[in-house]
Amino acid sequence: MLVHAIYIVFAYFIDRIIGDPRSLPHPVVIIGKSISLLEKAIRSIIVKERYLKLAGLLFPLLIAGGSYLIVSFLLYGLNQLNHVLAVLAEIWLISTTIATKGLADAGLEVFRHLKNQDVRAARKSLGMIVGRDTENLEESEISRGAVETVAENIVDAIISPLCFALIGGAPLAMLYRAVNTLDSMVGYKNDKYQNLGWASARLDDLLNYLPARLTVGMMLLASWVNRLDIAGAWKMMKRDARLHPSPNSGYPEATIAGALQIQLGGTNYYFGVPSERAKMGEPLRSIEANDIVRAVTIMKTTSTICVILFVVISIVVVMGLK
């Protein structure tokens, strides 16, 4: 565990500094292409919907299981050649499973457009990171979408993969990233994916269950560090987290709503169809563009706290075993 914690420290700083350079191959891109190929293969063979539900099990088995095995064998092979090379590869692979810089950059890009009063560009940038329609959103709704996305992804893009990296290194972190990618691609509750994607969606909910709740504690500490409303964050989390349709996403969203003294949720449009999301937090003030920056600050502080906490826990465990 201590070795994994040390790897996490280096991987975290790599992600914070350079993120995911487009010049380097990214495992998530390979995972995404594999998911698309598998879906095409399944749909070309299976036509009846009732069989698609059983076929849905193939996604976590082949994609997530395959990701774990490939990374494990890769690191084993590299270790046979050169131990230092294997260590460097594992650190880099862990860094690809988290997206602190990418998430911050995406949120701040929306913020910069709003500050420059370029609402059209802000809508376009937001549309790159959310699934909802953004073409007609006003500034407050653009800000809400960005804050919600940053909050939700504190778990999915940072804390969860770090948790699995601490337990099982790069192979387990990559397994998690594969499951999360599956959920984002086939885990929809619509006519197309309700049968084929059910197993991926359920597994993603299961893997994020504990990390989402651990994240709340880290976000509360981050709120205190940044002199935000920690009492409000705790109150809104207890009151509103379970209102979210996801069993996990409501925890970071309700917490950040309380910390910023704003209200998240409301009406979103998907392909022109309205969808009502439960409102979380009290509207003590209107949402503004600066809330995106505050959300990013909470995200960065929370992720730093997580890394420090994992190192401390690992040292305590090692000392306890001795």
Side-chain angles (χ1 to χ4, degrees):
M1 182 180 288
L2 182 57
V3 171
H4 290 161
I6 294 171
Y7 290 172
I8 284 172
V9 171
F10 286 103
Y12 176 69
F13 279 109
I14 289 173
D15 178 66
R16 283 290 298 267
I17 295 169
I18 66 173
D20 299 316
R22 294 182 180 180
S23 57
L24 294 176
H26 200 287
V28 174
V29 175
I30 299 172
I31 291 171
K33 291 180 179 179
S34 300
I35 293 169
S36 297
L37 289 173
L38 180 58
E39 180 182 353
K40 289 180 182 178
I42 290 173
R43 291 190 184 277
S44 68
I45 298 171
I46 300 174
V47 178
K48 294 183 178 180
E49 283 292 320
R50 64 175 178 269
Y51 296 127
L52 284 177
K53 192 161 190 176
L54 184 60
L57 292 170
L58 292 174
F59 281 105
L61 286 173
L62 296 180
I63 301 298
S67 297
Y68 180 87
L69 291 174
I70 289 171
V71 173
S72 296
F73 285 131
L74 174 63
L75 293 177
Y76 175 80
L78 290 174
N79 197 50
Q80 300 304 305
L81 295 174
N82 185 288
H83 178 67
V84 174
L85 185 61
V87 168
L88 293 175
E90 181 153 20
I91 291 171
W92 174 73
L93 285 168
I94 292 173
S95 76
T96 66
T97 66
I98 57 179
T100 315
K101 187 177 187 299
L103 184 57
D105 289 349
L108 293 177
E109 181 177 304
V110 176
F111 166 75
R112 283 191 293 271
H113 289 314
L114 289 176
K115 277 302 180 183
N116 292 330
Q117 298 183 335
D118 192 345
V119 177
R120 186 175 180 179
R123 290 169 179 162
K124 185 176 180 180
S125 293
L126 180 64
M128 300 295 291
I129 57 174
V130 300
R132 71 192 70 172
D133 299 344
T134 62
E135 296 85 4
N136 301 310
L137 295 182
E138 298 300 325
E139 180 175 334
S140 62
E141 286 297 292
I142 295 171
S143 298
R144 175 171 74 86
V147 170
E148 288 173 350
T149 299
V150 170
E152 179 180 355
N153 281 285
I154 292 174
V155 177
D156 291 0
I158 304 170
I159 306 302
S160 284
L162 289 179
C163 285
F164 289 102
L166 180 67
I167 298 169
L172 200 59
M174 197 62 68
L175 180 146
Y176 168 79
R177 179 50 61 209
V179 171
N180 190 245
T181 306
L182 279 167
D183 181 62
S184 67
M185 291 183 67
V186 302
Y188 298 102
K189 295 179 181 179
N190 55 27
D191 292 339
K192 184 177 181 180
Y193 289 114
Q194 63 180 353
N195 289 321
L196 193 61
W198 72 274
S200 300
R202 293 284 180 84
L203 184 57
D204 184 72
D205 288 342
L206 179 63
L207 295 185
N208 282 308
Y209 187 85
L210 286 177
R213 287 146 183 84
L214 290 172
T215 300
V216 170
M218 300 174 196
M219 289 181 70
L220 290 173
L221 184 54
S223 299
W224 176 76
V225 169
N226 290 290
R227 299 182 180 181
L228 297 171
D229 189 354
I230 184 173
W234 174 250
K235 180 181 178 181
M236 293 303 104
M237 184 279 296
K238 289 197 299 180
R239 193 190 74 177
D240 297 340
R242 293 179 180 84
L243 300 177
H244 198 284
S246 164
N248 302 311
S249 297
Y251 285 87
E253 287 191 30
T255 302
I256 211 166
L260 299 181
Q261 299 181 333
I262 59 176
Q263 188 173 75
L264 300 176
T267 305
N268 298 328
Y269 286 84
Y270 298 89
F271 303 103
V273 179
S275 175
E276 292 295 327
R277 283 289 181 91
K279 294 181 178 180
M280 293 176 288
E282 293 288 349
L284 301 180
R285 61 178 182 80
S286 300
I287 301 176
E288 59 184 20
N290 285 327
D291 287 317
I292 302 173
V293 179
R294 297 182 184 107
V296 169
T297 300
I298 291 175
M299 178 270 290
K300 288 181 177 179
T301 308
T302 300
S303 62
T304 302
I305 289 170
C306 178
V307 172
I308 294 172
L309 181 63
F310 284 178
V311 171
V312 171
I313 290 174
S314 300
I315 292 173
V316 171
V317 169
V318 170
M319 290 178 65
L321 291 174
K322 289 181 178 180

